[in-house]
Amino acid sequence: MLTEVKTTLYSLDDYLRLVEIVEDKPFFEYSEGIIYWRYDQKEVPEEILDFLFSPDYDWYKFMQLALQYHLEMKSKNHSLINSNIFLEIGKQLNQEKYNLYTEDPNIKIPNKEKSRMPDLCATSAIDEKRDEKGLVENPIVNIEILLPSTQKIDKTEKLEEYRSIPSLQEYIMIEQDKIGIEQHIRKGKSKWEVNLLDEKDKSLQIKAIEVDIAIAKIYNKVALKK
């Protein structure tokens, strides 16, 4: 019988090796010795981690084992919003000035043994910095698409963590089942302005990377709750 009792603490190097094993697929996040499922923020059972690190690792067996623990995957709405934003930003982005990533790379949280992987992340193309482990140290914009299982963490822990990154200029949270965007914009070292957008005919201006996206395009083909 499977057990979810977990006693082992893992290093950041262990986590990064795990990311390589699953070929950079965005299944996990890391915080102070614990590896979490990215889409529900529950601890990954030790039995699964042992299997992933073992010579017997097999992708299909891993997925079968993960589903026994009710692994939560991102929804269709989440995927559509992610691809819509990536496409619309990409159309306007000055690629000589900015880099845009989706579900990659891992972001370094200052002064903590912790790594996060935003749904989308923008950095400077001129002076993007990574530490010796490959973690991005100076993102400009982080975007999270909210899931019911993760929105509390996105709005509390990640909000605090992302705001602690000196380079970050904007943190944006996007609802997936209704039109709703919460945009945090840095106005000083510790001062932030919050914009709430909930109208389809408005636009999301991300001045930090010089783009302006129609909210209708963000939610294109997304099945919204009535």
Side-chain angles (χ1 to χ4, degrees):
M1 182 175 177
L2 298 176
T3 175
E4 295 195 34
V5 176
K6 184 172 177 49
T7 57
T8 304
L9 293 180
Y10 295 88
S11 68
L12 184 56
D13 285 335
D14 290 331
Y15 164 73
L16 294 174
R17 184 157 67 93
L18 183 65
V19 171
E20 290 184 2
I21 289 170
V22 297
E23 300 176 346
D24 294 325
K25 293 181 175 64
F27 286 118
F28 311 109
E29 285 188 325
Y30 176 82
S31 177
E32 298 172 339
I34 307 297
I35 297 173
Y36 296 91
W37 293 119
R38 182 167 179 266
Y39 292 116
D40 65 10
Q41 293 297 304
K42 295 177 182 177
E43 293 182 28
V44 180
E46 191 166 358
E47 181 175 350
I48 290 180
L49 293 173
D50 287 346
F51 174 69
L52 286 167
F53 287 126
S54 78
D56 298 325
Y57 167 71
D58 174 84
W59 170 256
Y60 295 102
K61 289 181 180 178
F62 159 60
M63 290 305 298
Q64 290 174 352
L65 189 58
L67 290 172
Q68 290 182 55
Y69 283 92
H70 308 290
L71 167 64
E72 181 170 343
M73 303 294 286
K74 61 184 178 181
S75 65
K76 180 179 179 180
N77 278 3
H78 186 289
S79 297
L80 283 170
I81 292 170
N82 194 312
S83 60
N84 288 344
I85 297 172
F86 189 79
L87 177 64
E88 294 303 323
I89 291 178
K91 289 177 181 177
Q92 301 178 38
L93 196 70
N94 184 334
Q95 296 186 14
E96 293 185 359
K97 295 176 67 175
Y98 306 108
N99 297 324
L100 179 64
Y101 303 98
T102 177
E103 298 181 330
D104 173 74
N106 283 280
I107 302 297
K108 184 174 184 177
I109 304 302
N111 305 313
K112 292 187 177 182
E113 185 77 358
K114 182 175 284 193
S115 171
R116 296 293 193 185
M117 188 185 290
D119 289 308
L120 295 107
C121 168
T123 67
S124 167
I126 300 169
D127 64 354
E128 176 183 302
K129 294 184 176 68
R130 301 198 182 208
D131 69 6
E132 69 281 359
K133 300 181 188 298
L135 303 182
V136 170
E137 297 182 301
N138 59 339
I140 299 171
V141 177
N142 286 346
I143 300 175
E144 297 283 7
I145 301 163
L146 303 180
L147 289 166
S149 55
T150 63
Q151 63 179 347
K152 183 178 179 181
I153 290 173
D154 290 336
K155 292 183 176 183
T156 54
E157 290 181 30
K158 287 188 180 181
L159 175 61
E160 180 181 353
E161 291 164 4
Y162 289 163
R163 281 185 168 193
S164 75
I165 302 172
S167 63
L168 195 80
Q169 299 303 305
E170 299 192 33
Y171 173 39
I172 301 166
M173 290 172 275
I174 300 177
E175 299 277 358
Q176 65 161 325
D177 294 321
K178 64 179 181 180
I179 294 175
I181 298 173
E182 184 174 322
Q183 180 183 30
H184 294 251
I185 305 170
R186 189 185 292 275
K187 293 298 182 179
K189 184 176 180 181
S190 58
K191 185 178 180 181
W192 293 77
E193 175 184 291
V194 181
N195 289 337
L196 302 177
L197 304 168
D198 59 6
E199 298 179 42
K200 198 170 185 177
D201 61 348
K202 302 294 184 181
S203 68
L204 172 63
Q205 296 182 18
I206 311 178
K207 292 183 179 180
I209 54 173
E210 305 171 64
V211 300
D212 188 345
I213 310 168
I215 291 177
K217 290 186 176 180
I218 292 174
Y219 287 97
N220 183 38
K221 297 183 179 180
V222 175
L224 301 174
K225 290 182 178 179
K226 297 181 179 180

